[in-house]
Amino acid sequence: MDIQVVDTPLGRYRDDAVVVFAAQGEKITKTVGSAGRDFRGGYATLVADAAFTGEAGQVRTLSARKTERVRTLVLVGLGEASATTGESIRHAASSGVRAARELGARSVTLVAPSGRGPTFRVDAVAEALVEGSIQGLYRFETYKAKPSKDGIDRISVLVAPASAGRARRGAREGQVLGDAVTFARQLGNEPGNTATPTFLAEQAAIIAEEGGLDLRVLEEDDMRKLGMGALLGVSQGSVEPAKLIILTYEPKKRSGKRPETIAIVGKGLTFDTGGVSIKPSAKMEDMKFDMCGGAAVLGAMKAIAGLKVGVRVVGLVPASENMCGAASYKPGDILRAMNGTTIEVRNTDAEGRLILADALAYATSKMRPRPKAIVDLATLTGACVVALGDGHGAVVSNADPLAAELLEASKASGDALWRMPINDIYRAQLDSPYADLSNLGTPGAGTLTAAAFLEKFTGDVPWAHLDIAGMAWTQKKTGHFSTGATGFGVRVIARFLQTRGA
Ligand code: BES
Ligand code: ZN
Ligand code: ZN
């Protein structure tokens, strides 16, 4: 995608389509008029008929004669000006470019909306417009005999000359983030028979090559030597070999202090049948998305390489299938994780915490220098979908400052998070009569007992867990959503690391 920032006055501007944004009650008659004479009458009629009010999500298109400089005008509502957020601008941009694409435009210009407050800072607006457009145009068509013929290959953001420099910086950031999120969405949408642990390791190699990252992939033999009995236990029922992907980003040396290291860990369970504790058939196909935490880590690593953040980041993805067969691990089996903890398997469907256990133990005990913080992302529990639905991912953390940083990054990035508690009430629910720990909590608060389980493998490193089970994929088709993987987590992690390294 070709992305550019332009500052030519709209009246002299030529493009296939122009998108104009309006908040409720905002007067955009002048902007509409300068886009082309033909649009004035149509716009006046839409307003008179209350067919365009600027309500959030409203999209109206107007066409002009071939002789006009701009053929298609797309009007997109932003909703109430005071309630506008970066995320609502992203959704609006997505809707706008999609409408333009439907009318055959190959090249689209978005007129940067203006307004009061930090949301309307021109760099933030340009970031949101570009990221939203890239996300809105993403389609998963890899396996379609006839991929769509329409397509947009250039997006321009139109701003006032004085703000072009700042807008350019924002647009570049939006492009990096948009590309990283769509990369994660593509990985998530790939079916389980393509997206195997080996495939994820290959994709990590592509990111490493592009972004100048260091890549190390631990094979099952390496895992055995390290004593990763929990990850190996989950994987033993599968013919696909497990991988532990480790990507390292080194910031450019800056004079002064050594940059701190942050570890991010993502559940890369490439298909979750539930194992011997098998899942019901209905919706089991959705369990191809059980690697979306891992995809978010890979996407975030791609993003931070593009954004050149100031911290050292290690991204770890334990990747495995969870299958049921003659070689599978069974309820009652006792596994020994890398940190020596023994785990009684009460339910083979609670496998995510097992593969994460060894990756977390590796991050806290093997990495040098030791990480200053660990954040993990996982489609970990159905209970999280019950608790928060598709409105928020859960943050569970034993480190208040880290949780606060993530919530801040959540607001700024559009990846919505809500904090949930962890304390001795939940920690006490993992006792096993036979081993150090059970992989199943007592009934209730499944998200929190799962988090309490993970915590046992994080040593004394400040840690936060993001349960993204309700957010990783969607049926929605509005705004920047399309059916399938959302790339949730890439943006909040990228923003968190950007702020850490600032
Ligand atoms: N991958 C699932 C969690 C999940 C379920 C994510 C539905 C998104 C939608 C996870 O491995 C799992 O099966 N968890 C069990 C844990 C239970 C056995 C303690 C669950 O949530 O039912
Ligand atoms: Zn499971
Ligand atoms: Zn799972």
Side-chain angles (χ1 to χ4, degrees), residues 267 269 272 274 277 279 286-287 290 322 347-353 379-385 439-441 446 449-450 467-470 473:
K267 173 179 174 182
L269 207 291
D272 185 8
S277 317
K279 286 183 180 293
D286 282 352
M287 284 298 118
D290 211 15
N322 185 24
N347 188 315
T348 63
D349 197 11
E351 85 299 335
R353 61 196 75 182
T379 47
L380 204 61
T381 61
C384 191
V385 190
N439 81 329
L440 195 63
T449 52
D467 195 328
I468 62 168
W473 69 97

Side-chain angles (χ1 to χ4, degrees), residues 363-375:
T364 42
S365 70
K366 279 275 177 275
M367 268 173 53
R368 294 291 179 275
R370 297 190 71 212
K372 281 278 184 315
I374 304 188
V375 181

Side-chain angles (χ1 to χ4, degrees), residues 84 129 230 305 307 331 355 453 479:
T84 303
L129 292 177
L307 297 171
I355 69 169
F453 181 97

Side-chain angles (χ1 to χ4, degrees), residues 8-20:
T8 318
L10 190 52
R12 285 194 266 122
Y13 197 71
R14 179 183 290 281
D15 205 350
D16 291 356
V18 163
V19 183
V20 175

Side-chain angles (χ1 to χ4, degrees), residues 53-68:
T53 58
E55 202 177 294
Q58 224 173 44
V59 180
R60 303 284 180 263
T61 53
L62 293 170
S63 301
R65 281 166 300 178
K66 274 205 172 120
T67 48
E68 290 275 8

Side-chain angles (χ1 to χ4, degrees), residues 201-212:
E202 288 162 4
Q203 294 294 309
I206 296 174
I207 301 172
E209 175 73 34
E210 276 175 9

